[in-house]
Coordinates of all heavy atoms in Angstrom, one line a residue:
M153 N -17.3 6.2 3.5 CA -16.5 6.5 4.7 C -17.4 6.6 5.9 O -18.4 7.3 5.9 CB -15.8 7.8 4.4 CG -15.0 8.3 5.6 SD -14.0 9.7 5.4 CE -15.1 11.0 5.1
Q154 N -17.0 5.9 6.9 CA -17.7 5.9 8.2 C -16.9 6.6 9.3 O -15.7 6.3 9.4 CB -18.1 4.5 8.6 CG -19.0 3.9 7.5 CD -19.7 2.6 8.1 OE1 -20.1 2.6 9.2 NE2 -19.7 1.6 7.3
I155 N -17.5 7.4 10.0 CA -16.8 8.1 11.1 C -17.6 7.8 12.4 O -18.8 7.9 12.5 CB -16.8 9.7 10.9 CG1 -16.2 10.0 9.6 CG2 -16.2 10.4 12.1 CD1 -16.3 11.4 9.2
V156 N -16.8 7.3 13.4 CA -17.4 7.0 14.7 C -16.6 7.6 15.8 O -15.4 7.8 15.7 CB -17.5 5.5 14.9 CG1 -18.4 4.8 13.9 CG2 -16.1 4.8 14.9
P157 N -17.2 8.0 16.9 CA -16.5 8.5 18.1 C -15.7 7.3 18.8 O -16.1 6.2 18.7 CB -17.5 9.1 19.0 CG -18.8 8.4 18.6 CD -18.7 8.0 17.2
M158 N -14.6 7.7 19.4 CA -13.8 6.7 20.1 C -14.6 5.8 21.1 O -14.3 4.6 21.1 CB -12.7 7.5 20.9 CG -11.7 6.6 21.6 SD -10.3 6.1 20.6 CE -9.5 7.6 20.2
R159 N -15.6 6.3 21.7 CA -16.3 5.5 22.7 C -17.1 4.4 22.0 O -17.4 3.4 22.7 CB -17.3 6.4 23.5 CG -18.4 7.0 22.7 CD -19.4 7.8 23.5 NE -20.4 8.4 22.7 CZ -20.3 9.6 22.0 NH1 -19.1 10.3 22.2 NH2 -21.2 10.0 21.3
D160 N -17.4 4.5 20.7 CA -18.1 3.4 20.0 C -17.2 2.2 19.8 O -17.7 1.1 19.4 CB -18.6 3.9 18.7 CG -19.8 4.8 18.9 OD1 -20.2 5.1 20.0 OD2 -20.4 5.2 17.8
L161 N -15.9 2.3 20.0 CA -15.0 1.1 19.8 C -15.3 0.0 20.8 O -14.9 -1.1 20.6 CB -13.5 1.6 19.9 CG -13.0 2.4 18.8 CD1 -11.5 2.8 19.1 CD2 -13.1 1.7 17.5
K162 N -16.0 0.3 21.8 CA -16.4 -0.7 22.8 C -17.3 -1.8 22.2 O -17.3 -2.9 22.6 CB -17.1 -0.1 24.0 CG -16.2 0.8 24.8 CD -17.0 1.4 25.9 CE -16.1 2.4 26.7 NZ -16.9 3.2 27.7
N163 N -18.1 -1.3 21.2 CA -19.0 -2.2 20.5 C -18.3 -2.9 19.3 O -18.5 -2.5 18.2 CB -20.3 -1.5 20.0 CG -21.3 -2.4 19.5 OD1 -21.1 -3.6 19.2 ND2 -22.5 -1.8 19.2
T164 N -17.5 -3.9 19.6 CA -16.6 -4.5 18.6 C -17.4 -5.2 17.5 O -16.9 -5.2 16.4 CB -15.6 -5.5 19.3 OG1 -16.4 -6.5 20.0 CG2 -14.7 -4.8 20.3
V165 N -18.5 -5.8 17.8 CA -19.3 -6.5 16.8 C -19.7 -5.4 15.7 O -19.6 -5.7 14.5 CB -20.5 -7.2 17.4 CG1 -21.4 -7.8 16.3 CG2 -20.0 -8.3 18.3
E166 N -20.2 -4.3 16.2 CA -20.7 -3.3 15.2 C -19.5 -2.7 14.4 O -19.6 -2.5 13.2 CB -21.4 -2.2 16.0 CG -22.1 -1.2 15.1 CD -23.2 -1.7 14.2 OE1 -23.8 -2.7 14.6 OE2 -23.3 -1.2 13.1
I167 N -18.4 -2.5 15.1 CA -17.2 -1.9 14.4 C -16.8 -2.9 13.3 O -16.4 -2.5 12.2 CB -16.1 -1.6 15.4 CG1 -16.5 -0.5 16.3 CG2 -14.8 -1.3 14.7 CD1 -16.8 0.9 15.6
E168 N -16.8 -4.2 13.7 CA -16.3 -5.2 12.7 C -17.2 -5.2 11.5 O -16.8 -5.3 10.3 CB -16.3 -6.6 13.3 CG -15.8 -7.7 12.4 CD -15.8 -9.0 13.1 OE1 -16.3 -9.2 14.2 OE2 -15.3 -10.0 12.4
K169 N -18.5 -5.1 11.7 CA -19.5 -5.0 10.5 C -19.2 -3.8 9.7 O -19.2 -3.8 8.5 CB -20.9 -4.9 11.1 CG -21.4 -6.2 11.6 CD -22.8 -6.1 12.1 CE -23.3 -7.3 12.8 NZ -24.7 -7.1 13.4
K170 N -18.9 -2.6 10.3 CA -18.6 -1.4 9.6 C -17.3 -1.5 8.8 O -17.2 -1.0 7.7 CB -18.6 -0.2 10.5 CG -19.9 0.2 11.1 CD -19.9 1.4 12.0 CE -21.3 1.7 12.5 NZ -21.3 3.0 13.1
C171 N -16.3 -2.2 9.4 CA -15.0 -2.4 8.7 C -15.2 -3.3 7.5 O -14.4 -3.1 6.5 CB -14.0 -3.0 9.7 SG -13.4 -1.8 10.9
A172 N -16.2 -4.2 7.5 CA -16.4 -5.0 6.3 C -16.8 -4.2 5.1 O -16.6 -4.5 3.9 CB -17.4 -6.1 6.6
E173 N -17.3 -3.0 5.3 CA -17.8 -2.1 4.3 C -16.7 -1.1 3.8 O -16.8 -0.5 2.8 CB -19.0 -1.3 4.8 CG -20.2 -2.1 5.1 CD -21.3 -1.4 5.9 OE1 -21.3 -0.1 5.8 OE2 -22.1 -2.0 6.5
G174 N -15.6 -1.0 4.7 CA -14.5 -0.1 4.3 C -13.9 0.5 5.6 O -14.4 0.2 6.7
P175 N -12.9 1.3 5.5 CA -12.2 1.8 6.7 C -13.2 2.7 7.5 O -14.1 3.3 7.0 CB -11.1 2.7 6.1 CG -11.0 2.3 4.7 CD -12.3 1.8 4.3
V176 N -13.0 2.6 8.8 CA -13.7 3.4 9.8 C -12.8 4.4 10.4 O -11.8 4.0 11.0 CB -14.3 2.4 10.9 CG1 -15.1 3.2 11.9 CG2 -15.3 1.4 10.2
F177 N -13.2 5.6 10.3 CA -12.4 6.7 10.9 C -12.9 7.0 12.3 O -14.1 7.2 12.5 CB -12.5 8.0 10.0 CG -11.9 7.7 8.7 CD1 -12.7 7.2 7.7 CD2 -10.6 8.0 8.4 CE1 -12.1 6.9 6.4 CE2 -10.0 7.8 7.2 CZ -10.8 7.2 6.2
V178 N -12.0 7.0 13.3 CA -12.4 7.2 14.7 C -12.0 8.5 15.1 O -10.8 9.0 14.9 CB -11.7 6.1 15.6 CG1 -12.1 6.2 17.0 CG2 -12.0 4.7 15.0
T179 N -12.9 9.2 15.8 CA -12.6 10.6 16.3 C -12.5 10.6 17.8 O -13.1 9.8 18.5 CB -13.7 11.6 15.8 OG1 -14.9 11.2 16.4 CG2 -13.8 11.6 14.3
K180 N -11.8 11.6 18.3 CA -11.7 11.8 19.7 C -11.9 13.3 19.9 O -11.1 14.1 19.3 CB -10.4 11.4 20.3 CG -10.3 11.5 21.8 CD -9.0 11.0 22.3 CE -8.9 11.1 23.8 NZ -7.6 10.6 24.3
N181 N -12.9 13.7 20.6 CA -13.2 15.1 20.8 C -13.4 15.9 19.5 O -13.0 17.0 19.3 CB -12.1 15.8 21.7 CG -11.9 15.3 23.1 OD1 -12.9 14.8 23.7 ND2 -10.7 15.2 23.5
G182 N -14.0 15.2 18.5 CA -14.3 15.8 17.3 C -13.1 15.8 16.3 O -13.3 16.3 15.1
Y183 N -12.0 15.3 16.6 CA -10.8 15.3 15.7 C -10.5 13.9 15.3 O -10.5 12.9 16.2 CB -9.6 16.0 16.4 CG -9.9 17.4 16.7 CD1 -10.3 17.9 17.9 CD2 -9.7 18.4 15.7 CE1 -10.5 19.2 18.2 CE2 -9.9 19.7 15.9 CZ -10.3 20.1 17.2 OH -10.5 21.4 17.4
G184 N -10.0 13.7 14.1 CA -9.6 12.3 13.7 C -8.4 11.8 14.5 O -7.5 12.6 14.7
R185 N -8.5 10.6 14.9 CA -7.4 10.0 15.7 C -6.9 8.6 15.2 O -5.8 8.3 15.2 CB -7.9 9.8 17.2 CG -8.2 11.0 17.9 CD -6.9 11.9 18.2 NE -6.0 11.1 19.0 CZ -4.7 11.3 18.9 NH1 -4.1 12.1 18.1 NH2 -3.9 10.5 19.6
L186 N -7.9 7.8 14.7 CA -7.5 6.5 14.2 C -8.3 6.1 13.0 O -9.3 6.7 12.7 CB -7.9 5.4 15.3 CG -7.4 5.6 16.7 CD1 -8.1 4.6 17.7 CD2 -5.9 5.4 16.8
V187 N -7.7 5.1 12.3 CA -8.4 4.4 11.2 C -8.4 2.9 11.5 O -7.4 2.4 11.8 CB -7.8 4.7 9.8 CG1 -8.5 3.9 8.8 CG2 -7.7 6.2 9.5
V188 N -9.6 2.3 11.5 CA -9.7 0.9 11.7 C -10.2 0.3 10.4 O -11.1 0.8 9.8 CB -10.7 0.6 12.9 CG1 -10.8 -0.9 13.2 CG2 -10.3 1.3 14.1
M189 N -9.6 -0.8 10.0 CA -10.0 -1.4 8.8 C -9.9 -3.0 8.8 O -9.1 -3.5 9.6 CB -9.2 -0.9 7.6 CG -7.8 -1.1 7.6 SD -6.9 -0.3 6.2 CE -6.8 1.3 6.8
D190 N -10.6 -3.6 7.9 CA -10.5 -5.0 7.7 C -9.2 -5.4 7.2 O -8.6 -4.7 6.4 CB -11.6 -5.4 6.7 CG -11.7 -6.9 6.5 OD1 -12.2 -7.6 7.3 OD2 -11.1 -7.3 5.4
L191 N -8.7 -6.6 7.7 CA -7.3 -7.0 7.3 C -7.2 -7.2 5.8 O -6.2 -6.9 5.2 CB -6.9 -8.3 8.1 CG -5.5 -8.8 7.9 CD1 -4.5 -7.7 8.3 CD2 -5.3 -10.0 8.7
D192 N -8.2 -7.8 5.2 CA -8.1 -8.0 3.7 C -8.0 -6.7 3.0 O -7.3 -6.6 2.0 CB -9.4 -8.8 3.2 CG -9.4 -10.2 3.7 OD1 -8.3 -10.8 4.0 OD2 -10.5 -10.8 3.8
Y193 N -8.8 -5.7 3.4 CA -8.8 -4.4 2.8 C -7.4 -3.8 3.0 O -6.8 -3.3 2.0 CB -9.8 -3.5 3.5 CG -9.8 -2.1 2.9 CD1 -10.6 -1.8 1.8 CD2 -9.1 -1.1 3.4 CE1 -10.7 -0.5 1.3 CE2 -9.1 0.2 2.9 CZ -9.9 0.5 1.8 OH -9.9 1.7 1.3
F194 N -6.8 -3.9 4.2 CA -5.5 -3.4 4.4 C -4.4 -4.0 3.5 O -3.6 -3.4 2.9 CB -5.1 -3.6 5.9 CG -3.7 -3.2 6.2 CD1 -3.3 -1.9 6.4 CD2 -2.7 -4.3 6.3 CE1 -1.9 -1.6 6.7 CE2 -1.4 -4.0 6.6 CZ -1.0 -2.6 6.7
E195 N -4.4 -5.4 3.5 CA -3.5 -6.1 2.6 C -3.6 -5.7 1.2 O -2.6 -5.5 0.5 CB -3.6 -7.6 2.8 CG -3.1 -8.1 4.2 CD -3.4 -9.5 4.5 OE1 -4.3 -10.1 3.8 OE2 -2.8 -10.1 5.4
K196 N -4.8 -5.6 0.7 CA -5.0 -5.2 -0.7 C -4.4 -3.8 -1.0 O -3.7 -3.6 -1.9 CB -6.5 -5.2 -1.1 CG -6.8 -4.8 -2.5 CD -8.3 -4.9 -2.8 CE -8.6 -4.4 -4.2 NZ -10.0 -4.3 -4.4
R197 N -4.7 -2.8 -0.1 CA -4.2 -1.5 -0.3 C -2.7 -1.4 -0.1 O -2.0 -0.7 -0.9 CB -4.9 -0.5 0.7 CG -6.3 -0.4 0.5 CD -6.6 0.3 -0.9 NE -8.0 0.4 -1.1 CZ -8.7 0.2 -2.2 NH1 -8.0 -0.2 -3.3 NH2 -10.0 0.3 -2.3
F198 N -2.2 -2.1 0.8 CA -0.7 -2.1 1.1 C 0.0 -2.7 -0.1 O 1.1 -2.2 -0.6 CB -0.4 -2.9 2.3 CG 1.0 -2.8 2.7 CD1 1.5 -1.6 3.3 CD2 1.9 -3.8 2.6 CE1 2.9 -1.5 3.7 CE2 3.3 -3.7 2.9 CZ 3.7 -2.5 3.5
S199 N -0.5 -3.8 -0.7 CA 0.2 -4.4 -1.9 C 0.1 -3.5 -3.1 O 1.1 -3.4 -3.8 CB -0.4 -5.8 -2.2 OG -1.7 -5.7 -2.7
Q200 N -1.0 -2.7 -3.2 CA -1.1 -1.8 -4.3 C -0.1 -0.7 -4.1 O 0.6 -0.2 -5.1 CB -2.5 -1.2 -4.4 CG -3.5 -2.2 -4.9 CD -4.9 -1.6 -4.9 OE1 -5.2 -0.7 -4.1 NE2 -5.8 -2.2 -5.6
A201 N 0.1 -0.2 -2.9 CA 1.1 0.8 -2.6 C 2.5 0.4 -2.9 O 3.3 1.1 -3.4 CB 1.0 1.3 -1.2
E202 N 2.8 -0.9 -2.5 CA 4.1 -1.5 -2.8 C 4.4 -1.5 -4.3 O 5.5 -1.2 -4.8 CB 4.2 -2.9 -2.2 CG 4.8 -2.9 -0.9 CD 5.1 -4.4 -0.4 OE1 4.3 -5.3 -0.9 OE2 6.0 -4.6 0.3
E203 N 3.4 -2.0 -5.1 CA 3.5 -2.1 -6.5 C 3.8 -0.7 -7.1 O 4.6 -0.6 -8.0 CB 2.3 -2.7 -7.1 CG 2.1 -4.2 -6.8 CD 0.8 -4.8 -7.2 OE1 0.0 -4.1 -7.9 OE2 0.5 -5.9 -6.8
A204 N 3.0 0.3 -6.7 CA 3.2 1.6 -7.2 C 4.6 2.1 -6.9 O 5.2 2.8 -7.7 CB 2.2 2.6 -6.6
E205 N 5.2 1.8 -5.7 CA 6.5 2.2 -5.4 C 7.5 1.6 -6.3 O 8.5 2.2 -6.7 CB 6.8 1.9 -3.9 CG 8.3 2.3 -3.5 CD 8.7 3.7 -3.8 OE1 7.8 4.6 -3.7 OE2 9.9 3.9 -4.1
F206 N 7.4 0.3 -6.6 CA 8.3 -0.4 -7.5 C 8.2 0.2 -8.9 O 9.3 0.4 -9.5 CB 8.0 -1.9 -7.6 CG 8.3 -2.7 -6.3 CD1 7.4 -3.7 -5.9 CD2 9.4 -2.5 -5.6 CE1 7.7 -4.4 -4.8 CE2 9.7 -3.2 -4.5 CZ 8.9 -4.2 -4.1
L207 N 7.0 0.5 -9.3 CA 6.9 1.1 -10.7 C 7.6 2.5 -10.7 O 8.3 2.9 -11.6 CB 5.4 1.3 -11.1 CG 4.8 -0.1 -11.4 CD1 3.3 0.2 -11.6 CD2 5.3 -0.6 -12.7
N208 N 7.3 3.3 -9.6 CA 7.9 4.6 -9.6 C 9.4 4.6 -9.5 O 10.1 5.4 -10.1 CB 7.4 5.4 -8.3 CG 5.9 5.9 -8.6 OD1 5.5 6.1 -9.7 ND2 5.2 6.0 -7.5
R209 N 10.0 3.6 -8.8 CA 11.4 3.4 -8.7 C 12.0 3.1 -10.1 O 13.0 3.7 -10.5 CB 11.8 2.3 -7.7 CG 13.3 2.2 -7.5 CD 13.7 1.1 -6.6 NE 12.9 1.0 -5.4 CZ 12.7 -0.1 -4.7 NH1 13.3 -1.2 -5.1 NH2 11.9 -0.1 -3.6
G210 N 11.3 2.2 -10.8 CA 11.7 1.9 -12.2 C 11.7 3.1 -13.1 O 12.6 3.3 -13.9
I211 N 10.7 3.9 -13.0 CA 10.6 5.1 -13.9 C 11.7 6.0 -13.5 O 12.3 6.6 -14.4 CB 9.2 5.7 -13.7 CG1 8.1 4.8 -14.3 CG2 9.1 7.1 -14.3 CD1 6.7 5.2 -14.0
R212 N 11.9 6.2 -12.2 CA 13.0 7.1 -11.8 C 14.4 6.7 -12.4 O 15.2 7.4 -12.9 CB 13.1 7.3 -10.3 CG 12.3 8.4 -9.7 CD 12.7 8.6 -8.2 NE 12.8 7.4 -7.4 CZ 11.8 6.8 -6.8 NH1 10.6 7.3 -6.9 NH2 12.0 5.7 -6.1
E213 N 14.6 5.4 -12.2 CA 15.9 4.8 -12.7 C 16.0 5.0 -14.2 O 17.1 5.3 -14.7 CB 16.0 3.4 -12.3 CG 16.3 3.2 -10.8 CD 16.3 1.7 -10.3 OE1 16.2 0.8 -11.2 OE2 16.5 1.5 -9.1
Y214 N 14.9 4.8 -14.9 CA 15.0 5.0 -16.4 C 15.3 6.4 -16.7 O 16.1 6.7 -17.6 CB 13.6 4.6 -17.0 CG 13.5 4.9 -18.5 CD1 14.2 4.0 -19.4 CD2 12.8 6.0 -18.9 CE1 14.1 4.3 -20.7 CE2 12.8 6.2 -20.3 CZ 13.4 5.4 -21.2 OH 13.4 5.7 -22.5
Q215 N 14.6 7.4 -16.0 CA 14.8 8.8 -16.3 C 16.2 9.2 -15.9 O 16.7 10.2 -16.5 CB 13.8 9.6 -15.5 CG 12.4 9.5 -16.0 CD 11.3 10.1 -15.1 OE1 11.5 10.3 -13.9 NE2 10.2 10.4 -15.7
E216 N 16.8 8.6 -14.9 CA 18.2 8.9 -14.5 C 19.2 8.2 -15.3 O 20.4 8.3 -15.1 CB 18.4 8.6 -13.0 CG 17.5 9.5 -12.1 CD 17.5 9.0 -10.7 OE1 18.1 8.0 -10.4 OE2 16.8 9.7 -9.9
G217 N 18.8 7.4 -16.3 CA 19.8 6.7 -17.2 C 20.4 5.5 -16.5 O 21.5 5.1 -16.9
K218 N 19.8 5.0 -15.5 CA 20.4 3.8 -14.8 C 19.9 2.5 -15.4 O 20.1 1.5 -14.7 CB 20.0 3.9 -13.3 CG 20.6 5.1 -12.6 CD 20.1 5.1 -11.1 CE 20.7 6.3 -10.4 NZ 20.3 6.3 -9.0
T219 N 19.4 2.5 -16.5 CA 18.9 1.2 -17.2 C 19.6 1.0 -18.5 O 20.2 1.9 -19.1 CB 17.4 1.3 -17.4 OG1 17.1 2.4 -18.3 CG2 16.6 1.4 -16.1
V220 N 19.6 -0.2 -18.9 CA 20.1 -0.5 -20.3 C 19.1 -1.3 -21.0 O 18.2 -2.0 -20.4 CB 21.4 -1.4 -20.2 CG1 22.6 -0.6 -19.5 CG2 21.2 -2.7 -19.5
D221 N 19.1 -1.3 -22.3 CA 18.2 -2.0 -23.1 C 18.4 -3.5 -23.0 O 19.5 -3.9 -22.7 CB 18.2 -1.5 -24.6 CG 19.5 -1.8 -25.3 OD1 19.6 -2.9 -25.8 OD2 20.4 -0.9 -25.2
G222 N 17.5 -4.3 -23.4 CA 17.6 -5.8 -23.3 C 18.7 -6.4 -24.1 O 19.4 -7.2 -23.6
K223 N 18.9 -5.9 -25.3 CA 20.0 -6.5 -26.2 C 21.4 -6.2 -25.5 O 22.2 -7.1 -25.5 CB 20.0 -5.8 -27.5 CG 18.9 -6.4 -28.4 CD 19.0 -5.8 -29.8 CE 17.8 -6.4 -30.7 NZ 17.9 -5.9 -32.1
S224 N 21.6 -5.0 -25.0 CA 22.9 -4.7 -24.4 C 23.1 -5.5 -23.1 O 24.2 -6.0 -22.8 CB 22.9 -3.2 -24.0 OG 22.8 -2.4 -25.2
A225 N 22.0 -5.7 -22.3 CA 22.1 -6.5 -21.1 C 22.4 -7.9 -21.4 O 23.3 -8.5 -20.8 CB 20.8 -6.4 -20.3
M226 N 21.8 -8.5 -22.4 CA 22.1 -9.9 -22.8 C 23.5 -10.0 -23.3 O 24.1 -11.0 -23.0 CB 21.0 -10.4 -23.8 CG 19.6 -10.5 -23.2 SD 19.5 -11.6 -21.8 CE 20.0 -13.2 -22.5
K227 N 23.9 -9.1 -24.1 CA 25.3 -9.1 -24.6 C 26.3 -9.1 -23.5 O 27.3 -9.9 -23.5 CB 25.5 -8.0 -25.6 CG 26.9 -7.9 -26.2 CD 27.1 -6.8 -27.1 CE 28.5 -6.7 -27.6 NZ 28.8 -5.5 -28.4
A228 N 26.1 -8.2 -22.5 CA 27.0 -8.1 -21.4 C 27.0 -9.4 -20.5 O 28.1 -9.9 -20.1 CB 26.6 -7.0 -20.5
I229 N 25.9 -10.0 -20.4 CA 25.8 -11.3 -19.6 C 26.5 -12.4 -20.4 O 27.2 -13.2 -19.8 CB 24.3 -11.7 -19.4 CG1 23.7 -10.7 -18.4 CG2 24.2 -13.1 -18.9 CD1 22.2 -10.8 -18.2
R230 N 26.3 -12.5 -21.7 CA 26.9 -13.5 -22.5 C 28.4 -13.4 -22.4 O 29.2 -14.4 -22.3 CB 26.4 -13.5 -23.9 CG 25.0 -14.0 -24.1 CD 24.6 -14.1 -25.6 NE 23.3 -14.6 -25.7 CZ 22.2 -13.9 -26.0 NH1 22.4 -12.6 -26.2 NH2 21.0 -14.4 -26.1
E231 N 28.9 -12.1 -22.6 CA 30.4 -11.9 -22.5 C 30.9 -12.2 -21.1 O 32.0 -12.8 -21.0 CB 30.7 -10.4 -22.8 CG 30.4 -10.1 -24.3 CD 30.6 -8.6 -24.6 OE1 30.9 -7.8 -23.7 OE2 30.4 -8.3 -25.8
K232 N 30.2 -11.9 -20.1 CA 30.7 -12.1 -18.7 C 30.8 -13.6 -18.4 O 31.8 -14.0 -17.8 CB 29.8 -11.4 -17.7 CG 30.2 -11.6 -16.3 CD 29.3 -10.8 -15.3 CE 29.8 -11.1 -13.9 NZ 29.0 -10.3 -12.9
Y233 N 29.8 -14.4 -18.9 CA 29.8 -15.8 -18.5 C 30.2 -16.7 -19.7 O 30.1 -17.9 -19.6 CB 28.4 -16.2 -18.1 CG 28.1 -15.5 -16.8 CD1 27.2 -14.4 -16.7 CD2 28.6 -15.9 -15.5 CE1 26.9 -13.7 -15.5 CE2 28.3 -15.3 -14.4 CZ 27.5 -14.2 -14.4 OH 27.2 -13.5 -13.2
G234 N 30.7 -16.1 -20.8 CA 31.1 -16.9 -21.9 C 30.1 -17.8 -22.6 O 30.4 -18.9 -22.9
I235 N 28.9 -17.3 -22.7 CA 27.8 -18.0 -23.2 C 27.7 -17.8 -24.7 O 27.7 -16.7 -25.2 CB 26.5 -17.7 -22.5 CG1 26.6 -18.0 -21.0 CG2 25.3 -18.5 -23.1 CD1 25.4 -17.5 -20.2

């Protein structure tokens, strides 16, 4: 984790190099204000968060009884469409 003061954002070349290593936390008056990161890093983390949300939603639906087993689902589809 790298922490830099807001004034260091003027040096874009150096910030870009630091972002290649991971997110850069930017402070203002000693307090956290921003996070700057490489686009590839962002996309990877965002897609992981999306996948986790899909899994969590599926687990919740299963726990709430909103799912059916595969055999029942196929039977219902066959009956509905006359297959």
Side-chain angles (χ1 to χ4, degrees):
M153 171 173 69
Q154 298 193 44
I155 301 172
V156 299
M158 183 87 61
R159 67 178 176 274
D160 287 2
L161 290 178
K162 293 176 186 174
N163 188 348
T164 58
V165 173
E166 187 63 29
I167 294 296
E168 183 179 6
K169 287 179 186 176
K170 289 181 180 190
C171 285
E173 299 168 16
V176 176
F177 297 85
V178 182
T179 61
K180 182 176 181 179
N181 298 325
Y183 296 97
R185 295 293 298 151
L186 305 169
V187 177
V188 181
M189 65 184 77
D190 180 78
L191 185 57
D192 291 334
Y193 181 88
F194 171 81
E195 288 175 342
K196 180 180 177 184
R197 295 295 179 221
F198 188 74
S199 70
Q200 288 174 340
E202 265 187 332
E203 289 170 8
E205 176 54 34
F206 289 139
L207 288 171
N208 287 331
R209 186 183 316 155
I211 291 168
R212 268 193 316 272
E213 289 177 0
Y214 175 78
Q215 291 171 336
E216 294 169 358
K218 295 181 179 178
T219 59
V220 295
D221 64 89
K223 285 184 179 183
S224 299
M226 292 304 294
K227 181 180 176 186
I229 291 170
R230 286 188 180 105
E231 289 174 359
K232 180 175 180 178
Y233 295 103
I235 301 173

